[in-house]
Amino acid sequence: MVVLAASIVSKSGKILVSRQFVDMSRIRIEGLLAAFPKLVGTGKQHTYVETENVRYVYQPIEALYLLLVTNKQSNILEDLETLRLLSKLVPEYSYSLDEEGICKTAFELLFAFDEVISLGHKENVTVAQVKQYCEMESHEEKLHKLVVQSKINETKDVMKRKASEIDKSKIEKNRGDKGGFMSLQSMGSGRIESSFSDMSISSGGGGFGSGSGFGLATTDVETFSSKSKGRPPSSANAPPKGLGMQLGKSQRTNQFLESLKAEGEVILEDVKPIAGQSRAAAAAPPLTDPITLTVEEKINVSLKRDGGMSNFDVQGTLSLQILNQEDGLIQVQIETGGNPGILFKTHPNMNKELFTHENILGLKDPNRPFPQAKLWRMQSADESMVPLTINCWPSVSGNETYVSIEYEASTMFDLRNVVISVPLPALREAPSVRQIDGEWRYDSRNSVLEWTILLIDNSNRSGSMEFVVPPADSSSFFPISVRFSATSTYSDLKVVNIIPLRGGAPPKFSQRTVLITENYQVV
């Protein structure tokens, strides 16, 4: 059996699609197909027509003919079986069985015909197999894209490390060039670290709201003095922590970037938060004010995958960093937002009456430098207090698992550097991300898909992502971990004034406020 051509023609003889499986000229195939409508009679029961050289095996499809042109020595039973298979494939690819529908899906039909007939002989395939073969993607193309993407990611990592090294060197240089810091060497004081045991107290009223506060924590208070001029800080001589390898030349990096650009790749600097980046202290600018007060809250949240919340805990600290030991003899006046869920406490060496009645943090012994931070805690079962909720819906469809993830952010905070880490089953290649609000990165080593949103504010309080992986159990996508930071807190604690105990003008101070995640999961 040899099939010369498989074609779809109109009843008027117009050729819509034709695939030839043997060498033949265009003039000959057009002549054979043009002669077919004249040979077809009306009222006949059979579906084939023979001439001296060829046989036409056909089947009407509404206003069209599906036609096989074979030689006369072919097995007509096999030809009819081939025609029957092709007639099942045409409706699978063409949304309408008319001239317009056939012409729009011409290439899809040609590819399907090639899977059924090879060099004029019928392949032993089914409709489902033909559809699967036509939908298969190129493994080489995917591999090439993965290699290119891995090179781009490596280059970005190199660029980030170099930028981090440059920033660190600038910070160290700025610290060494500050003249005001050099004069502090005469004080003879180094770094003083004080830690005190904690003691629970009860607040009977005042500016901090209602109720009594209990909590456990320790506080480190640091007083800094600079090194002498011409002698760099000790940290400048020590090797940087966390760097396993130093790149001596940037020329290789530039050459690699140029080679990627020459290949047509678009190199963009993608700002993505790394692990631990949510800590404000790591990226904080160098200290320039005599006194710096940092209000930091760490949030621990455990959300249930089916809805609800199993844990919500916020712990806050007010820490001081003092450049000059002389400025340690102070009192700190504060105010809070009046959140009734916040429970405050102080160190037993603090003057509790002064704190209760005037919202001033000061020591019982005024001759001692100010060492103590303010601590507070908040626990709640109210889901409206959660700054970010995550919903995940995995669903298996055939040989694929579709995973849809949505986030909804509260209006209380503007969240920065949000990273939603979704664990995945072991995969041979990266998941197929169909839709996403933000950026994504696949960590193949840990099999984790990271969804990154640089900023969540009033313009994007909700967003979604959808990706596809091979069939997997729904529990393999949990627990989902979340990291973010914010520049406002639940307590809304602010430092109003610094009161020097030795008189004189109040020292200049600055305040930093940050909310970070410590353990934020959907389980």
Side-chain angles (χ1 to χ4, degrees):
M1 162 190 147
V2 175
V3 177
L4 304 180
S7 308
I8 300 177
V9 299
S10 65
K11 290 189 176 181
S12 62
K14 181 180 179 181
I15 304 172
L16 304 180
V17 173
S18 181
R19 179 71 169 109
Q20 291 70 251
F21 302 101
V22 296
D23 291 334
M24 58 195 316
S25 65
R26 177 176 177 179
I27 296 176
R28 185 187 177 198
I29 186 61
E30 288 181 349
L32 292 174
L33 295 178
F36 169 71
K38 303 175 184 178
L39 299 174
V40 177
T42 58
K44 296 182 180 181
Q45 298 297 322
H46 55 78
T47 57
Y48 71 93
V49 178
E50 291 186 354
T51 64
E52 294 181 2
N53 300 319
V54 297
R55 176 188 295 136
Y56 300 94
V57 184
Y58 63 93
Q59 177 176 333
I61 303 179
E62 295 186 3
L64 308 174
Y65 283 117
L66 176 61
L67 174 65
L68 292 181
V69 182
T70 69
N71 58 18
K72 297 182 67 174
Q73 291 76 30
S74 67
N75 189 329
I76 192 170
L77 295 179
E78 294 185 4
D79 294 341
L80 291 173
E81 182 64 26
T82 304
L83 184 66
R84 187 178 300 109
L85 179 58
L86 294 180
S87 66
K88 294 179 181 179
L89 285 173
V90 172
E92 293 288 339
Y93 290 95
S94 180
Y95 63 91
S96 62
L97 299 178
D98 54 16
E99 291 188 14
E100 183 181 1
I102 296 297
C103 292
K104 284 188 176 181
T105 58
F107 287 101
E108 288 80 2
L109 291 172
L110 290 177
F111 296 151
F113 288 177
D114 283 344
E115 297 296 336
V116 176
I117 303 172
S118 176
L119 299 176
H121 298 277
K122 178 182 179 295
E123 297 286 344
N124 186 19
V125 293
T126 62
V127 175
Q129 289 176 329
V130 171
K131 292 184 64 177
Q132 181 181 0
Y133 297 157
C134 291
E135 292 173 359
M136 290 182 70
E137 299 177 356
S138 171
H139 175 71
E140 289 77 9
E141 180 184 2
K142 284 188 174 182
L143 184 61
H144 172 72
K145 290 182 178 180
L146 289 175
V147 171
V148 173
Q149 186 63 39
S150 65
K151 291 180 180 179
I152 294 175
N153 292 337
E154 290 176 1
T155 304
K156 290 178 181 178
D157 293 338
V158 172
M159 296 168 65
K160 290 177 182 178
R161 287 198 297 268
K162 297 296 291 183
S164 178
E165 293 174 10
I166 293 172
D167 292 340
K168 289 182 180 178
S169 64
K170 288 182 178 180
I171 292 174
E172 297 296 337
K173 184 178 179 181
N174 291 336
R175 287 178 178 175
D177 292 342
K178 292 291 183 179
F181 289 1
M182 305 309 157
S183 63
L184 298 178
Q185 184 189 8
S186 60
M187 299 298 176
S189 62
R191 173 172 175 166
I192 303 174
E193 297 184 354
S194 302
S195 61
F196 300 88
S197 60
D198 297 312
M199 174 176 174
S200 300
I201 69 165
S202 175
S203 173
F208 287 99
S210 61
S212 60
F214 300 91
L216 296 174
T218 58
T219 304
D220 292 336
V221 178
E222 301 176 352
T223 303
F224 298 98
S225 66
S226 64
K227 304 298 178 181
S228 61
K229 189 171 184 178
R231 180 180 178 184
S234 60
S235 60
N237 296 327
K241 297 182 180 179
L243 294 179
M245 178 173 140
Q246 296 287 337
L247 298 177
K249 295 183 180 181
S250 61
Q251 183 177 3
R252 294 183 180 179
T253 304
N254 296 333
Q255 292 177 350
F256 185 64
L257 286 175
E258 293 297 332
S259 64
L260 286 180
K261 292 178 180 178
E263 295 177 1
E265 297 294 336
V266 179
I267 306 301
L268 298 176
E269 179 58 28
D270 193 5
V271 182
K272 293 184 179 178
I274 58 175
Q277 189 178 7
S278 59
R279 294 183 174 272
L287 301 177
T288 57
D289 295 316
I291 300 176
T292 301
L293 301 102
T294 301
V295 178
E296 181 182 75
E297 288 185 352
K298 296 180 180 179
I299 182 171
N300 294 270
V301 174
S302 180
L303 302 173
K304 299 178 182 179
R305 67 183 71 175
D306 298 327
M309 178 177 63
S310 58
N311 179 50
F312 179 88
D313 180 74
V314 177
Q315 294 186 3
T317 58
L318 172 62
S319 58
L320 283 80
Q321 292 176 322
I322 304 173
L323 294 179
N324 187 352
Q325 188 180 10
E326 296 292 331
D327 293 330
L329 301 176
I330 58 173
Q331 292 179 339
V332 180
Q333 184 176 5
I334 63 175
E335 67 177 16
T336 66
N339 189 336
I342 301 291
L343 304 178
F344 291 93
K345 70 171 186 175
T346 58
H347 190 272
N349 290 338
M350 304 295 288
N351 189 332
K352 298 179 179 61
E353 293 184 359
L354 186 65
F355 155 68
T356 302
H357 297 94
E358 301 184 33
N359 291 345
I360 295 178
L361 296 174
L363 290 174
K364 296 177 180 178
D365 184 2
N367 295 321
R368 297 180 59 183
F370 190 93
Q372 179 60 20
K374 182 67 184 169
L375 302 142
W376 62 93
R377 187 173 186 179
M378 174 183 175
Q379 291 180 324
S380 176
D382 185 3
E383 293 185 33
S384 63
M385 302 300 293
V386 177
L388 186 68
T389 58
I390 307 294
N391 296 314
C392 179
W393 296 282
S395 61
V396 179
S397 177
N399 294 327
E400 296 178 327
T401 299
Y402 292 82
V403 183
S404 298
I405 302 179
E406 292 183 352
Y407 74 82
E408 291 187 7
S410 171
T411 57
M412 292 186 294
F413 305 104
D414 289 345
L415 306 181
R416 304 174 184 273
N417 298 329
V418 181
V419 179
I420 302 173
S421 301
V422 184
L424 301 179
L427 302 177
R428 294 184 178 179
E429 55 189 21
S432 175
V433 178
R434 302 291 178 87
Q435 183 271 330
I436 187 169
D437 295 326
E439 302 292 334
W440 67 277
R441 184 180 74 90
Y442 175 58
D443 184 357
S444 58
R445 177 172 297 180
N446 299 317
S447 191
V448 173
L449 179 63
E450 293 186 349
W451 177 13
T452 302
I453 307 101
L454 294 181
L455 175 63
I456 296 179
D457 54 15
N458 291 329
S459 63
N460 59 342
R461 291 295 179 188
S462 62
S464 62
M465 174 179 69
E466 182 180 4
F467 61 91
V468 180
V469 295
D473 185 72
S474 60
S475 61
S476 60
F477 302 102
F478 296 92
I480 299 174
S481 300
V482 183
R483 303 194 306 270
F484 59 80
S485 63
T487 56
S488 55
T489 59
Y490 284 94
S491 62
D492 198 21
L493 188 144
K494 297 179 181 178
V495 177
V496 179
N497 191 21
I498 299 294
I499 305 173
L501 297 180
R502 293 184 177 179
K508 185 179 179 182
F509 71 93
S510 62
Q511 177 178 338
R512 299 172 181 169
T513 304
V514 63
L515 170 69
I516 62 174
T517 56
E518 187 173 45
N519 187 15
Y520 201 109
Q521 288 187 333
V522 181
V523 297

